[in-house]
Amino acid sequence: MKPFLLITTRGEDDVAAHEHAAYCRLTGLLPDELEWIRADRAPIGGLDFTRYSGIILAGSPFTVSEPEERKSPTERRVERELSALLDEVVRRDFPFLGVCYGVGTIGSHQGARVDRTYGEPSQAVRISLTEAGRSDPLLQELPAAFDAFVGHKEAISDVPPSITVLASSPTCPVQAFRVGENVYATQFHPELDTAAFTARVRSYAGHGYFDPSQVDAIIATAEAADVRASHMVLGRFVEEYLDSHRGDRGPAPASVQLPRAS
């Protein structure tokens, strides 16, 4: 089988390792079936799209709406590389799933307004599929409403015509969307179960997502939530695109060179 590719940007080794393990566990993929690029450590480089069944971009401490002067050189490099990658992903309509940070990166790539209007603290929220989401191949097997973990400073506040909104929540209008037929993003975290969410909350207690004094209360609330339906997004992405290249439609060369850090 052709592997999937996971791109992460978390600087802490233990958090990054746990993240990769969570994606393996909830996609059902073995570690060698989910290749891993830590974009915070090295440039993404040229990708041979024909090698992969699909690409997953994980969440990130980076935010596209942060003022440019406050971004680190690494964050600016990663944004440039992801923008170049998305040029090809969208042109090819290549299977892609961006989680949380994916909403900001794909959204801004498509001209959406990404800002702090609809940020959500770390918690479980009720997600509702839109009419388009209920008929979408990736989401149609999910319940019409389900709980999922969120935690983000930015979100889409204005949707361009190229984005089809698939899910929303009372506090965040765009919880999932699609571009073309095969490029997806979720604002919620389908890779987090209760244990992984708890570990993430403890790791990011001082990063501005919530009041650090509320850690125990957040974890207690999370333990009462049933987010299992949200995990189906990852399983469905693998089922839908394993060894499939129906999205690779263009005649572009297989290897795409992305910009290096300046």
Side-chain angles (χ1 to χ4, degrees):
M1 63 165 279
K2 292 180 179 179
F4 287 79
L5 175 65
L6 176 68
I7 300 174
T8 70
T9 56
R10 300 191 188 278
E12 305 88 351
D13 289 343
D14 58 339
V15 176
H18 289 157
E19 183 169 55
H20 181 252
Y23 276 100
C24 287
R25 182 171 65 255
L26 293 175
T27 58
L29 296 170
L30 298 173
D32 61 351
E33 295 171 338
L34 185 61
E35 293 188 10
W36 183 19
I37 292 177
R38 291 188 65 178
D40 59 298
R41 295 296 178 89
I44 296 171
L47 293 185
D48 181 353
F49 282 72
T50 65
R51 289 195 60 246
Y52 298 108
S53 292
I55 300 171
I56 300 172
L57 173 65
S60 177
F62 299 158
T63 52
V64 301
S65 62
E66 188 80 7
E68 199 68 17
E69 65 273 12
R70 295 177 60 181
K71 295 176 181 177
S72 69
T74 297
E75 183 170 1
R76 291 195 294 268
R77 170 184 62 78
V78 169
E79 285 189 3
R80 290 195 303 271
E81 293 180 2
L82 288 175
S83 179
L85 175 62
L86 287 169
D87 286 344
E88 280 303 301
V89 164
V90 171
R91 189 187 69 78
R92 294 169 178 263
D93 202 10
F94 189 83
F96 189 97
L97 175 63
V99 173
C100 196
Y101 184 46
V103 166
T105 54
I106 303 171
S108 61
H109 181 272
Q110 292 297 297
R113 181 184 300 128
V114 180
D115 58 26
R116 307 296 176 102
T117 303
Y118 295 110
E120 294 175 297
S122 298
Q123 60 183 314
V125 300
R126 194 70 168 170
I127 308 292
S128 297
L129 297 181
T130 65
E131 182 177 352
R134 290 192 294 271
S135 61
D136 180 81
L138 191 68
L139 302 183
Q140 63 184 357
E141 294 184 12
L142 274 70
F146 57 92
D147 289 342
F149 289 130
V150 300
H152 53 101
K153 299 175 182 178
E154 63 183 9
I156 288 179
S157 61
D158 186 58
V159 183
S162 61
I163 284 179
T164 300
V165 178
L166 303 176
S168 65
S169 69
T171 51
C172 183
V174 183
Q175 282 285 356
F177 67 76
R178 187 186 70 241
V179 175
E181 295 183 7
N182 302 300
V183 179
Y184 289 89
T186 67
Q187 188 69 79
F188 62 90
H189 285 272
E191 86 285 7
L192 292 180
D193 56 18
T194 302
F197 178 79
T198 296
R200 185 75 58 80
V201 166
R202 294 194 185 282
S203 295
Y204 283 88
H207 287 239
Y209 291 96
F210 50 85
D211 183 343
S213 68
Q214 297 299 309
V215 167
D216 290 340
I218 290 170
I219 291 172
T221 302
E223 289 175 345
D226 182 356
V227 299
R228 289 175 294 177
S230 70
H231 302 160
M232 294 173 64
V233 173
L234 296 179
R236 287 289 303 121
F237 186 73
V238 170
E239 290 172 3
E240 187 75 7
Y241 295 115
L242 182 64
D243 288 338
S244 169
H245 284 275
R246 65 186 185 183
D248 194 6
R249 297 171 177 172
S255 182
V256 179
Q257 295 299 318
L258 302 181
R260 301 284 177 162
S262 56

